[in-house]
Amino acid sequence: MSALQAFEEKKRFVHLKELLRSANHIQKIKKGTFLFQEGMVANELYLILSGKIQTGKICQDGKEMCFRICSAGEIIGELTLFTSEPKYLLTAKVIEDGEVAVIKKDYLEEQLLLNPTLTFEYMQWLSNYARRTQTKFHDLILRGKKGALYSTLIRMCNSYGVRLKNGSILIDLPLKNQDLANFCGTTRESVNRMLNSLKQKGVISIAKGKITIHDLDYLKKEVQCENCPVEICRIE
Amino acid sequence: MSALQAFEEKKRFVHLKELLRSANHIQKIKKGTFLFQEGMVANELYLILSGKIQTGKICQDGKEMCFRICSAGEIIGELTLFTSEPKYLLTAKVIEDGEVAVIKKDYLEEQLLLNPTLTFEYMQWLSNYARRTQTKFHDLILRGKKGALYSTLIRMCNSYGVRLKNGSILIDLPLKNQDLANFCGTTRESVNRMLNSLKQKGVISIAKGKITIHDLDYLKKEVQCENCPVEICRIE
DNA sequence: ACGGAGATGTGACGGATCTCACACTTTACA
DNA sequence: TGTAAAGTGTGAGATCCGTCACATCTCCGT
């Protein structure tokens, strides 16, 4: 599945990404730094060329909620376009070195209004984004923490899964227990216990910090997955 | 606050709403019926002229998650525009008789691409929608069920609050415990207990099925509210 | 190869929340 | 205005989940 899907995904929003790529300048990003932080005035968007970025919300009490993990080809800094109060709602942390194409918000808005093809693609992108967030919403709230974790794992498969020869799916992304906890709104310890219980059942295994899913159907059944389209059921 | 805000809100997206209002036809909606249901092919959008509509997700096991309660001036059926798989993700239940203006998705998409003013307004609307969903997200997940309820109440104030002479805020919407539970992803009983505890503390009172907030600051403090803009911190 | 930092694994306990059961109150409307 | 239906209030017990504490493991740099 994954290869074809990735290919299809790459072909989407080509004009939009072309515009972004042709942008004012390229910026190197370094692991551990922030591309932007919550509350900052937002006047730029980014297209990831390489590396990985995690967006999320960091609370005063140290809690952290993770929204997306994005890699090459993804657009970041969205949602600020055309808004009256252009401040980033989230923080974007670099988790793998790389480069982003930087584009000024004003310029992009201008281009979008001039070019219907771009308009179309951007709206498509934004609608998809909103639909993704909305489905995540009930996944995370409706079936307790276990449901939250399972559905996060399913999304990870759709976004970063690599099908192995034996049919299992490797989530090709180094994920710590704490990271998953931040995605699910739970704690490291709870994630650890749940993952171990999945290991014992033979549903998953973990090697070198990466999770392999052996029995995706088990997870799907547990969360009463409705097999919504893959462009919606993903993590980024 | 509320009066002015409502006024400001009314002035937003005027061209977009004008287009919707000039639509193909007007449809009467009757309490208890569904405007559309999850999974249906989506080829229409609606502008509410009067009455109230609740959108949400209904699960097989009877659980229900409520997303928005919308009244006159709100747009419903969104998020299907420009998507490749145009199916409604949510169900829209009429909770108060009224009328909606119906507009064909195809026609609206066409108009949007022709008219930059419309494009601009729609994007603005969609961005706001996405931002609203995103902030709700962590409000509901990060601070337990109590946090979920409190933040729902705060949003209700911003959307349906009427400031009374004594400074309290009446949420001018008949809300059952079960409704609030569906917004928060919790149970009727839990909501009931939490509301009663708030009553005892004098933070709220309830009369004729409507909640009045006496001490909004108490709620805000409890959820570490960051006073995000009102167009984002709302229920619809 | 070693030491230490960071990550994982796990028990014990407590509080939050759900579930079930049922009494009571309010509302709708015949 | 009486009566059923719908909604609310509340206890008890079970379960989920977070917190704390600490042991163990893994990986990385020197």
Side-chain angles (χ1 to χ4, degrees):
Chain A
M1 64 165 218
S2 198
L4 181 61
Q5 272 168 16
F7 179 68
E8 290 299 326
E9 186 63 23
K10 289 275 186 309
K11 290 201 308 190
R12 305 191 60 171
F13 316 126
V14 281
H15 297 90
L16 183 57
K17 287 177 182 174
E18 194 178 297
L19 175 65
L20 290 166
R21 202 172 283 116
S22 74
N24 315 43
H25 73 284
I26 305 295
Q27 182 181 326
K28 283 205 187 308
I29 53 174
K30 201 106 189 80
K31 180 172 174 173
T33 62
F34 295 100
L35 192 55
F36 52 79
Q37 283 183 284
E38 192 192 336
M40 277 174 53
V41 171
N43 43 35
E44 292 176 342
L45 269 85
Y46 309 88
L47 173 69
I48 304 182
L49 301 175
S50 63
K52 289 205 176 63
I53 292 177
Q54 190 186 67
T55 65
K57 183 169 173 62
I58 300 174
C59 300
Q60 302 94 316
D61 55 11
K63 281 186 190 169
E64 203 172 326
M65 169 102 240
C66 187
F67 277 96
R68 309 166 68 198
I69 289 186
C70 302
S71 52
E74 290 289 325
I75 300 164
I76 291 265
E78 67 278 355
L79 298 201
T80 61
L81 241 50
F82 303 112
T83 56
S84 48
E85 184 127 2
K87 290 189 184 166
Y88 293 113
L89 289 178
L90 301 177
T91 295
K93 194 187 342 182
V94 180
I95 58 173
E96 189 185 300
D97 291 1
E99 288 184 338
V100 293
V102 184
I103 194 156
K104 294 287 174 206
K105 179 173 171 283
D106 294 346
Y107 175 71
L108 182 53
E109 288 182 354
E110 201 177 284
Q111 293 300 309
L112 281 177
L113 293 179
L114 286 176
N115 182 337
T117 309
L118 285 179
T119 306
F120 180 79
E121 285 193 0
Y122 184 73
M123 285 191 179
Q124 219 172 29
W125 182 86
L126 193 51
S127 290
N128 256 329
Y129 183 98
R131 286 160 75 89
R132 225 148 53 207
T133 310
Q134 202 165 86
T135 52
K136 249 201 252 180
F137 205 90
H138 57 247
D139 284 356
L140 291 198
I141 292 172
L142 232 41
R143 300 190 194 292
K145 301 305 181 181
K146 196 181 276 192
L149 178 62
Y150 291 4
S151 90
T152 300
L153 288 175
I154 295 169
R155 284 169 191 274
M156 289 285 177
C157 279
N158 289 333
S159 289
Y160 290 99
V162 177
R163 177 135 263 161
L164 303 179
K165 275 140 287 173
N166 64 10
S168 299
I169 302 168
L170 168 71
I171 298 175
D172 194 15
L173 197 64
L175 283 172
K176 282 167 272 182
N177 289 347
Q178 185 66 61
D179 296 328
L180 284 169
N182 293 344
F183 267 105
C184 302
T186 180
T187 59
R188 174 188 78 73
E189 293 92 330
S190 291
V191 167
N192 186 268
R193 284 184 242 264
M194 291 188 278
L195 287 181
N196 284 335
S197 140
L198 287 176
K199 271 192 224 166
Q200 280 178 11
K201 294 196 186 88
V203 178
I204 68 167
S205 61
I206 304 184
K208 296 187 197 160
K210 291 180 181 176
I211 300 175
T212 301
I213 312 281
H214 302 299
D215 188 355
L216 187 58
D217 284 340
Y218 176 87
L219 299 178
K220 287 190 173 181
K221 211 175 298 158
E222 287 286 310
V223 297
Q224 303 185 236
C225 170
E226 295 166 2
N227 286 300
C228 58
V230 185
E231 77 263 22
I232 290 178
C233 184
R234 25 194 325 116
I235 211 66
E236 6 72 33
Chain B
M1 62 161 217
S2 195
L4 180 62
Q5 273 170 14
F7 179 68
E8 291 299 328
E9 188 61 23
K10 289 271 187 308
K11 290 201 307 188
R12 304 192 60 171
F13 314 126
V14 281
H15 298 90
L16 183 56
K17 288 177 182 174
E18 193 178 297
L19 174 66
L20 291 165
R21 202 171 285 116
S22 75
N24 315 42
H25 73 282
I26 304 296
Q27 182 181 329
K28 283 207 188 306
I29 54 175
K30 199 107 189 82
K31 179 171 173 172
T33 62
F34 295 100
L35 191 56
F36 52 80
Q37 283 182 282
E38 192 191 337
M40 278 173 53
V41 171
N43 41 34
E44 294 176 341
L45 268 87
Y46 309 89
L47 173 70
I48 304 181
L49 302 174
S50 61
K52 288 203 177 64
I53 292 178
Q54 190 185 67
T55 64
K57 182 168 176 61
I58 300 175
C59 301
Q60 302 94 316
D61 56 8
K63 281 185 190 173
E64 201 172 329
M65 169 101 240
C66 186
F67 277 97
R68 308 167 68 197
I69 289 186
C70 301
S71 52
E74 288 290 323
I75 301 163
I76 291 266
E78 69 276 358
L79 297 200
T80 62
L81 242 49
F82 304 110
T83 57
S84 47
E85 184 128 3
K87 291 189 181 165
Y88 294 113
L89 290 177
L90 301 178
T91 294
K93 194 186 342 180
V94 180
I95 57 172
E96 189 186 299
D97 290 1
E99 290 183 338
V100 293
V102 183
I103 193 156
K104 294 288 174 207
K105 179 172 171 287
D106 295 345
Y107 176 70
L108 182 53
E109 288 181 354
E110 200 177 284
Q111 293 300 311
L112 280 177
L113 292 178
L114 287 176
N115 183 336
T117 309
L118 285 180
T119 307
F120 180 79
E121 285 191 1
Y122 184 74
M123 287 194 179
Q124 215 171 34
W125 182 85
L126 193 51
S127 291
N128 256 329
Y129 183 99
R131 286 161 74 91
R132 225 149 53 207
T133 310
Q134 200 165 87
T135 53
K136 248 201 250 179
F137 204 88
H138 56 248
D139 284 356
L140 291 198
I141 291 171
L142 232 42
R143 299 190 195 293
K145 300 307 182 181
K146 194 180 276 191
L149 178 61
Y150 291 4
S151 90
T152 300
L153 289 175
I154 295 170
R155 282 168 192 274
M156 289 286 178
C157 279
N158 289 332
S159 288
Y160 289 100
V162 177
R163 177 135 262 163
L164 303 178
K165 276 140 286 173
N166 64 10
S168 298
I169 302 169
L170 168 72
I171 298 175
D172 194 14
L173 197 64
L175 283 172
K176 284 167 270 180
N177 288 348
Q178 186 66 62
D179 296 328
L180 284 170
N182 292 345
F183 267 105
C184 302
T186 180
T187 59
R188 175 188 77 72
E189 293 93 331
S190 292
V191 167
N192 186 269
R193 285 184 241 265
M194 290 189 276
L195 287 181
N196 285 335
S197 139
L198 286 176
K199 272 191 222 166
Q200 280 178 10
K201 293 197 187 88
V203 178
I204 67 167
S205 62
I206 303 184
K208 296 187 195 159
K210 291 182 182 176
I211 299 176
T212 301
I213 312 281
H214 302 299
D215 189 354
L216 186 59
D217 284 338
Y218 175 87
L219 298 179
K220 287 191 173 182
K221 210 175 299 161
E222 287 287 310
V223 296
Q224 304 183 237
C225 169
E226 296 166 2
N227 287 299
C228 59
V230 184
E231 77 263 19
I232 290 178
C233 184
R234 20 193 333 115
I235 212 65
E236 8 69 36

